[in-house]
Amino acid sequence: MGSHRIMEIMSHAEPDAVDHVLTRTVHAGRDQLRSLGVHTPPLDRSTTYPLTSLDGGTASLDQLAGGARIAENPVYQRLHNPTVARWEDAVAGLEHADTAVAFSSGMAAITATVMAARLGGGDHVVAVRPIYGGTDHLLATGLLGGSVTWARPEDVAGAIRPDTGLVLLETPANPTLATVDIADVVAQAGTVPVAVDNTFATPVLQNPLDHGAAYAIHSATKALGGHGDVTGGVVACSEALAQPLRQVRILTGALLDPQAAWLLHRGLPTLALRVHAAQDSACALAQRLALHPDVVDVRHPSLPGQDPLGLIPRQMAGPGQMIAFRVRGGHARAARIVAAVELITPAVSLGSVDTLIQHPAGLTHRVVAADARDEHGIGEDLLRVSVGIEHPDDLWRDLTRALQVSAPVDRPLETVSS
Ligand SMILES: *Cc1c(COP(=O)(O)O)cnc(C)c1O
């Protein structure tokens, strides 16, 4: 076999040459494994690295401290780790980004993005509500300094100031599944970088950078991990924007543990399978919930009228695995439902292989200002379901039984249709 033939095979093995997300998730970040002589990603837990020479170590330290992705010597785990870098490459490929920077959690990733904007002189953040409760709280408390303006998606342009360093949004948003047209917000933001928390959609369904966003942020704790056993975060962006993120990571120490990166990489090959399977079940459950007499206002972008901007398929390849709905009977009924589910776990978090149900007003969004919760429909009667990959009929049986046994005692159970 001539060498040009080998080159051809190798170039065809590059993730960019592969069209389908099912294939890309399986092979992401694995293109160097064959040359390493291994079939699965190796796990390097080293906290420090032997230096090629003192001068070589000094040069590498300077490069990494300046935000470089890689240097001749990794030097120290807080500066670089090959296992983490391999998973970062995988996520970058899936997000159509130059590169990605991994963090110890989704909140660490969001914190670093805000701090990087401040390093660039932007003290003011424009954020679109609703947004994850922790992000809302981080910005509202002013913990990182600077200030925040909350804007509706259509009002972003008017909220931009000369010192605005970042526009932050989530779509679909946690917990109401409200959707935002990324390209529209990017156009309004002008030269200000737009960060999109892409945790709900996953890179399988949405790539914010394709629509002009500067950053795609994930809580990798959710669908990227997918098995409820690893906490992590990641920001996919251009190489220029990644450098200050890496500097923040070195200084704050909010790095992803290599074992966590290894687990995240292990979960990646099934990401598209999991997201598609869970999404199919979510569509089925959303339809059935919408017909249930004790449920109102089911939120899932697959339902009629729930994608008013026509973002599927223009921005999103599908509606995803998250559902929110309101129950008749308010807080008390919601509490009885989460107490009654058996197959479904009453727990925060999302994107796992198993189905979870939680009460945003009492849990994930408890830290959000009460008036903002009211304004954005995060009421005491709202429940959020992260649909897993179980059979939808089994999930439906559990949900309808929980709805039935939680019905107020003055209503005979027989009249509650299943
Ligand atoms: C969970 C979550 C976060 C925070 O991620 P952690 O890994 O828990 O720190 C951020 N954004 C969204 C949309 C989330 O669901």
Side-chain angles (χ1 to χ4, degrees), residues 292-295 327-337 340 400-417:
H292 197 287
D294 288 3
V295 170
V327 285
R328 294 193 200 282
H331 181 93
R333 182 82 182 275
R336 287 199 298 272
I337 290 171
T400 41
R401 201 193 43 76
L403 278 158
Q404 196 163 15
V405 302
S406 64
V409 281
D410 58 325
R411 291 183 49 200
L413 293 183
E414 305 77 61
T415 66
V416 181
S417 113

Side-chain angles (χ1 to χ4, degrees), residues 104-108 110 132 135 170 174 197 199-200 219-222 231-233 350 384:
S104 51
S105 69
M107 284 311 299
I110 292 162
Y132 176 67
T135 312
E170 252 174 55
N174 191 349
D197 186 327
T199 301
F200 267 34
S219 167
T221 317
K222 314 296 169 53
T231 296
L350 59 108
R384 190 195 76 185

Side-chain angles (χ1 to χ4, degrees), residues 280-300 302-304 323-326 387 390-401 403 417-418:
D280 287 349
S281 291
C283 290
L285 287 180
Q287 270 183 20
R288 294 181 193 179
L289 278 168
L291 297 173
H292 197 287
D294 288 3
V295 170
V296 275
D297 198 13
V298 181
R299 319 262 176 86
H300 191 248
S302 69
L303 293 173
I323 299 176
F325 60 92
R326 292 166 47 214
V387 180
E390 303 98 328
H391 196 288
D393 289 350
D394 296 324
L395 295 172
W396 180 239
R397 198 175 307 116
D398 196 33
L399 261 183
T400 41
R401 201 193 43 76
L403 278 158
S417 113
S418 59

